[in-house]
Amino acid sequence: MSLRHNLRRALFVSTMLASTPAFAQAAEDAAPADDEIIVTAQKREENLQNVPISIQALSTKKLDQLGVSNFNDYTKLLPSISFQTTQPGSTTVYMRGVASGGDGNHSGSLPSVGVYLDEQPVTTIGGTLDVQIYDIARIESLAGPQGTLYGASSQAGTVRIITNKPSTSGFEGRVDGELNSVKSGGIGGKLQGMINAPLGDSAALRVVGWYTKAAGFIDNVAATRSFLGPVITNAAGERTGNLPGITVNNSAFVDKNVNTQDVVGGRAALKIDLDDNWTVTPTVMYQRMKNKGSFGYDNTLPTDLTVQRFAEEFRNDKFIQAALTIEGKIGNWDLTYSGAYLDRKTSSFNDYTDYAEAYDALYANYIDPDSGLFSCSGIAGCFAFNNAAGDTIDPRQFVAGSDHFKKLSQELRISSPQDKSLRMVAGLFYQRQSNEIFQDYRVSNLAPLLSVNGRPGTLWLTLQERVDKDYAAFGEVSFDIAPTLTVTGGARYYKFDNSLLGFFGFGRNPAFSQGASGNPPPNAAFSSRTGVASCFTTEGLSLREAQAFNNNPLNAGQPRKSTTLLPAALPGTPCTNLATFAGGSLVPKRTKDDGFIHRLNATWKPSDSAMVYATWSRGFRPGGINRRGTIPPYAADFLTNFELGWKTTPVDGLRLNGAIYQQNWKNFQYAFLGENSFTQIQNGPNARIRGIEVDMNYVVGGGLSLSASAAYTDAKTKGIHCSGASDTTATCTDSSVSAPAGTRLPITPKFKAGMTARYEFDLAGGKGHTQMAVAHQGSASSDIRVAKAAALGRLNSFTTADFAAGITWERISAELFVVNAFDSRGDLSRGQACGQCDQRIYVVPTQPRTIGIRLGGKF
């Protein structure tokens, strides 16, 4: 071994040991620049360096080297991506700073980033599918609007997970296992495997399976909550305090490492070559994820990584997707059909004690707004949390929820020969996605007459059906004006039709009559507006409107309005208050629209090792329905992108790519918790986003390879942002300014960057390696509203460093690794239980230092 080689090796190892973390993990494979990385971002196979898009590709080799197995693992490799999360499987993805925060609710805005599994979209409302990353060919991250080829939910970008396909070249298999230990936490591990089996010369089957157990590291510690009792007054009738009220504790649920996760799943693909030109590939994928506990810690507590929860919380997430891809030729044109059906079911149970705690304090000294005098104190005094005997009960709520998401998608496209100077791709697209939404806010022992009708113990019920339909025709044409100059034009005609139907709100005691004294309250919250009160009667009025008319003395002598409710549109609901009354019956509330978006691109290749491109593109996100009937639907929002990019291979072994862009986001959709902590969406002002992305891969030689990437994002509002419950015009005529012009958009840090280094060398008849991966992410606002962002606190900046060392023989591999070696406590997300629950802020952190071993075998 040469002296030069030994010096290089020693220098690298010492750099690993003494390095100060300053960058994020890299975003592309560290393969040699003269090796082709083939991607299909433009719906055809191309060399990465020839694609005029800001695209980053993580290959099978890179994914395996870095131990990537889930969403958090691969997104930290992609500096253009940011996200909000409450736990695995409940995550909203953003790209290039196109984030207003507050998204992800099951009846909120559609996502702005599309996620694809092979050819099929798996983008879902309320949380990106956390697909297990194993036996994956590559992950492609396409930054910027991809709407012409990928549609509505690719407004800001697209993430594509491409699986390895069955091969007739020979039988092969693989098994990989991992055992790990989390600092101050539990023990976790993985077991994964795959088999590829040829079935003759023209067919092959590939089967993949996995099981993962993620260790917990957040402790649920002992706590009590005390609620205000009866009021103590002085001789003048003024409140001087309260007698003791109900006190509860969580002793039955105190435990260590409560945030555990179990994931089991599998994938099977069958590839059949019908002849030399036609191939059929049916696939099926199943995954079940079981999360327990809270994945965010309470940062108001004195002890790190602790919470005080009063129930055994869980979230189960199960999905199955069946897909079919047919590829063939008509003459020398390529024809592709891709269709899929996704069925996803989630169920959860969450502690909502924070809500009762917040409202008990909020109403501690409630002053009547009309008289200006003291009215009541605390939940016990201001509300009717009573049992059937009239006794005051524990006011805490617990939320049982479920979502049943279904998605059918179909695409048919045709593309011309790619070796011609004039090339095109065109297609048709259709998808229908629905969600059966259920949330039951339960209060133990709540009187039936104070509960939702027919559901004793239910304070609030949400039971709705959401349907989103999309239709599109798209096409792109490229023409080589000269051998080094190409222009591309693309367009997509879209049409969406979105609807919402069902019930939300409180119950209503049928004996309640507005204005009459001595009658029992309509429900525990004393609400006479939301819930059954707003359900439709046979005459199309709300029950409240009908009763108010009948009780008004001015209407004496006029025919009384019917107070008979129409039959419930959805089973399990007492009636329907989210619908449109038409012709004596109820139909879903609906919003629909159509239009065009475009993409124009010019590409110049001055040499085989350099390319420069300019792009003008536009993406959109459909509008939708607000559940509260008094709030109008929200409109589609649009993102216009101006981009200048380059892709170069200046010397052998070095690949250097980058892009500079400006994006104008028009009337962006914004979701927030309004009255009654009720999600509502409105169109805000415009925003301007400027940024630069760069990534580098360099094979130094002698076994050393380096990769680095970075993204700088400057995202700001251009107008005043309003979020008043009665103001949806963004003029702030009825509400205060929540964010002045120039406010930074939330979630996305200004700077996110990264570096990995890997050194391979001969060792004991195999190939040894050492590896370092360092990740840095700057701070970011947690909310677009200035006051709410201050209450939540900023997402802090953090740096993590991962190290690994191992050896690979022909069929066996072994590796020791440490993730987050310096135990950096990074903020992934910040949130709270309800809009008024500022007393407790929950932070979803980076996983503490984790040490483990990986073993693998091939056969």
Side-chain angles (χ1 to χ4, degrees):
M1 188 177 295
S2 69
L3 175 62
R4 179 181 177 185
H5 186 84
N6 283 328
L7 287 173
R8 183 186 294 122
R9 180 173 171 180
L11 176 61
F12 177 66
V13 172
S14 63
T15 301
M16 285 181 58
L17 296 176
S19 171
T20 299
F23 298 93
Q25 291 185 341
E28 282 191 11
D29 188 6
D34 56 355
D35 283 359
E36 288 190 350
I37 296 179
I38 302 300
V39 297
T40 53
Q42 298 191 114
K43 308 257 181 178
R44 54 180 179 264
E45 291 188 349
E46 298 172 284
N47 185 340
L48 174 69
Q49 293 301 96
N50 293 332
V51 180
I53 296 174
S54 180
I55 175 175
Q56 297 170 308
L58 303 171
S59 70
T60 299
K61 182 179 178 182
K62 176 63 77 173
L63 295 170
D64 287 346
Q65 287 177 351
L66 295 175
V68 172
S69 64
N70 56 39
F71 174 86
N72 282 1
D73 290 340
Y74 71 77
T75 53
K76 72 177 181 179
L77 303 172
L78 304 169
S80 295
I81 290 182
S82 56
F83 61 89
Q84 284 181 295
T85 185
T86 56
Q87 58 184 297
S90 184
T91 301
T92 303
V93 187
Y94 307 108
M95 294 185 81
R96 282 187 171 178
V98 181
S100 60
D103 302 312
N105 185 276
H106 46 209
S107 57
S109 299
L110 286 162
S112 64
V113 173
V115 179
Y116 276 66
L117 181 62
D118 291 321
E119 292 284 343
Q120 291 79 22
V122 293
T123 313
T124 62
I125 306 163
T128 300
L129 286 182
D130 199 345
V131 176
Q132 184 83 0
I133 304 302
Y134 183 72
D135 195 41
I136 297 298
R138 65 187 177 277
I139 295 176
E140 299 176 3
S141 173
L142 287 59
Q146 308 296 323
T148 52
L149 291 182
Y150 292 96
S153 287
S154 291
Q155 177 190 44
T158 302
V159 176
R160 304 181 70 229
I161 302 170
I162 312 299
T163 62
N164 283 317
K165 302 302 185 291
S167 172
T168 58
S169 61
F171 179 87
E172 63 173 320
R174 174 182 170 189
V175 177
D176 295 279
E178 177 184 313
L179 188 66
N180 59 65
S181 175
V182 180
K183 179 189 176 184
S184 302
I187 303 295
K190 303 173 190 172
L191 183 62
Q192 308 172 111
M194 59 77 56
I195 291 177
N196 181 86
L199 305 175
D201 296 332
S202 59
L205 175 68
R206 196 176 191 99
V207 179
V208 185
W210 56 84
Y211 171 73
T212 297
K213 181 175 182 60
F217 52 85
I218 294 177
D219 297 340
N220 191 29
V221 297
T224 61
R225 297 287 184 268
S226 296
F227 300 97
L228 297 173
V231 175
I232 302 173
T233 59
N234 58 22
E238 299 170 330
R239 173 180 176 262
T240 59
N242 294 75
L243 294 173
I246 292 174
T247 296
V248 297
N249 66 69
N250 69 343
S251 59
F253 308 105
V254 172
D255 201 0
K256 288 185 174 294
N257 310 324
V258 295
N259 60 319
T260 61
Q261 179 192 57
D262 288 271
V263 182
V264 62
R267 185 176 71 243
L270 176 65
K271 181 180 179 181
I272 304 172
D273 295 327
L274 302 178
D275 56 29
D276 291 341
N277 293 325
W278 288 89
T279 300
V280 177
T281 308
T283 63
V284 63
M285 179 177 178
Y286 169 85
Q287 182 172 287
R288 185 192 69 208
M289 177 186 296
K290 291 187 174 182
N291 298 343
K292 293 183 179 180
S294 172
F295 284 77
Y297 69 92
D298 184 346
N299 78 340
T300 66
L301 299 179
T303 305
D304 189 25
L305 298 177
T306 57
V307 290
Q308 297 174 342
R309 309 299 281 174
F310 290 75
E312 187 173 323
E313 299 177 297
F314 68 84
R315 183 179 187 272
N316 297 329
D317 186 347
K318 178 176 66 175
F319 72 85
I320 185 169
Q321 177 179 272
L324 176 65
T325 302
I326 302 175
E327 300 168 290
K329 285 185 176 293
I330 299 178
N332 60 352
W333 288 58
D334 294 322
L335 184 70
T336 302
Y337 165 80
S338 61
Y341 179 76
L342 172 68
D343 190 300
R344 182 186 191 186
K345 296 178 180 179
T346 69
S347 61
S348 61
F349 188 81
N350 292 292
D351 177 22
Y352 208 39
T353 298
D354 288 1
Y355 184 91
E357 180 187 27
Y359 273 80
D360 198 52
L362 186 66
Y363 282 84
N365 191 43
Y366 183 69
I367 306 299
D368 183 86
D370 295 325
S371 66
L373 301 176
F374 169 75
S375 175
C376 58
S377 179
I379 288 181
C382 299
F383 298 92
F385 283 84
N386 303 323
N387 60 20
D391 301 322
T392 298
I393 60 174
D394 177 359
R396 293 176 301 146
Q397 301 172 44
F398 302 91
V399 186
S402 67
D403 288 272
H404 188 182
F405 184 90
K406 302 175 184 178
K407 186 187 192 89
L408 172 67
S409 64
Q410 299 188 77
E411 180 177 291
L412 180 67
R413 69 177 184 270
I414 190 169
S415 57
S416 65
Q418 299 306 302
D419 58 354
K420 305 298 183 181
S421 60
L422 180 65
R423 305 172 297 280
M424 66 158 290
V425 57
L428 300 172
F429 176 80
Y430 166 77
Q431 79 173 8
R432 182 187 190 275
Q433 46 189 339
S434 64
N435 191 12
E436 297 172 8
I437 304 165
F438 172 77
Q439 283 193 318
D440 184 347
Y441 290 73
R442 299 175 180 174
V443 177
S444 298
N445 301 317
L446 186 65
L449 289 181
L450 301 175
S451 305
V452 171
N453 304 40
R455 288 180 173 269
T458 295
L459 174 67
W460 174 288
L461 175 69
T462 297
L463 207 165
Q464 300 165 353
E465 182 176 272
R466 173 174 181 164
V467 178
D468 297 274
K469 299 178 183 178
D470 293 278
Y471 312 80
F474 61 89
E476 278 197 354
V477 177
S478 298
F479 178 62
D480 297 331
I481 298 176
T484 61
L485 184 61
T486 301
V487 293
T488 300
R492 188 182 189 97
Y493 169 75
Y494 66 84
K495 179 180 180 181
F496 65 83
D497 184 349
N498 301 338
S499 63
L500 200 57
L501 174 71
F503 174 86
F504 65 94
F506 302 104
R508 183 180 183 85
N509 186 327
F512 175 74
S513 180
Q514 294 172 13
S517 61
N519 285 320
N523 44 62
F526 278 96
S527 173
S528 62
R529 297 179 181 274
T530 304
V532 175
S534 60
C535 280
F536 287 95
T537 67
T538 54
E539 295 179 352
L541 296 176
S542 72
L543 179 60
R544 175 186 171 84
E545 291 170 333
Q547 286 193 337
F549 180 91
N550 295 338
N551 292 343
N552 190 338
L554 298 177
N555 297 326
Q558 297 190 41
R560 293 178 63 82
K561 299 297 183 183
S562 171
T563 56
T564 301
L565 296 173
L566 282 169
L570 296 181
T573 60
C575 51
T576 303
N577 57 13
L578 181 59
T580 298
F581 182 82
S585 61
L586 299 176
V587 297
K589 293 194 71 170
R590 174 172 279 110
T591 182
K592 52 185 178 180
D593 200 359
D594 60 1
F596 285 90
I597 54 175
H598 68 268
R599 176 176 177 264
L600 298 175
N601 174 272
T603 302
W604 178 48
K605 293 199 70 173
S607 69
D608 291 339
S609 61
M611 180 183 75
V612 179
Y613 68 88
T615 298
W616 172 33
S617 58
R618 199 174 194 222
F620 85 104
R621 180 169 49 168
I625 302 297
N626 268 299
R627 289 186 291 169
R628 195 181 296 277
T630 56
I631 303 173
Y634 52 95
D637 57 4
F638 295 86
L639 184 73
T640 302
N641 175 59
F642 304 93
E643 182 175 330
L644 180 65
W646 62 90
K647 299 193 173 184
T648 63
T649 310
V651 297
D652 288 345
L654 175 63
R655 185 168 63 240
L656 182 61
N657 300 338
I660 300 173
Y661 63 86
Q662 174 166 315
Q663 299 183 138
N664 299 325
W665 195 10
K666 185 177 180 181
N667 297 331
F668 61 78
Q669 295 170 14
Y670 171 69
F672 64 97
L673 294 176
E675 185 180 347
N676 299 124
S677 289
F678 196 76
T679 300
Q680 66 183 66
I681 305 98
Q682 65 187 49
N683 291 93
N686 299 337
R688 185 270 299 151
I689 305 167
R690 292 173 180 159
I692 181 170
E693 301 159 336
V694 293
D695 66 84
M696 177 274 293
N697 294 268
Y698 185 32
V699 177
V700 181
L704 177 61
S705 59
L706 305 172
S707 58
S709 62
Y712 172 82
T713 308
D714 181 21
K716 296 180 179 179
T717 61
K718 292 185 68 177
I720 295 172
H721 184 272
C722 313
S723 27
S726 62
D727 186 354
T728 60
T729 62
T731 60
C732 289
T733 54
D734 298 325
S735 64
S736 61
V737 174
S738 61
T743 299
R744 283 191 55 80
L745 295 181
I747 312 305
T748 304
K750 265 192 175 183
F751 184 67
K752 183 180 178 181
M755 181 182 70
T756 63
R758 184 179 176 91
Y759 178 60
E760 296 184 350
F761 50 91
D762 294 331
L763 179 66
K767 185 69 71 174
H769 69 267
T770 56
Q771 180 174 279
M772 174 183 69
V774 187
H776 173 80
Q777 182 171 307
S779 67
S781 174
S782 54
D783 198 283
I784 194 172
R785 298 165 295 175
V786 174
K788 180 57 68 177
L792 291 173
R794 288 185 66 82
L795 296 167
N796 65 12
S797 61
F798 63 91
T799 303
T800 60
D802 306 337
F803 300 97
I807 185 170
T808 301
W809 290 281
E810 183 178 358
R811 295 188 178 277
I812 299 175
S813 62
E815 183 179 66
L816 297 173
F817 67 90
V818 55
V819 176
N820 193 7
F822 303 109
D823 199 29
S824 173
R825 187 74 69 248
D827 293 356
L828 299 180
S829 289
R830 282 176 172 253
Q832 54 190 172
C834 69
Q836 289 72 37
C837 297
D838 291 343
Q839 80 277 14
R840 299 190 184 279
I841 306 301
Y842 295 95
V843 180
V844 180
T846 53
Q847 184 166 302
R849 181 172 59 243
T850 302
I851 299 173
I853 183 172
R854 299 185 182 108
L855 298 174
K858 297 179 180 180
F859 53 90

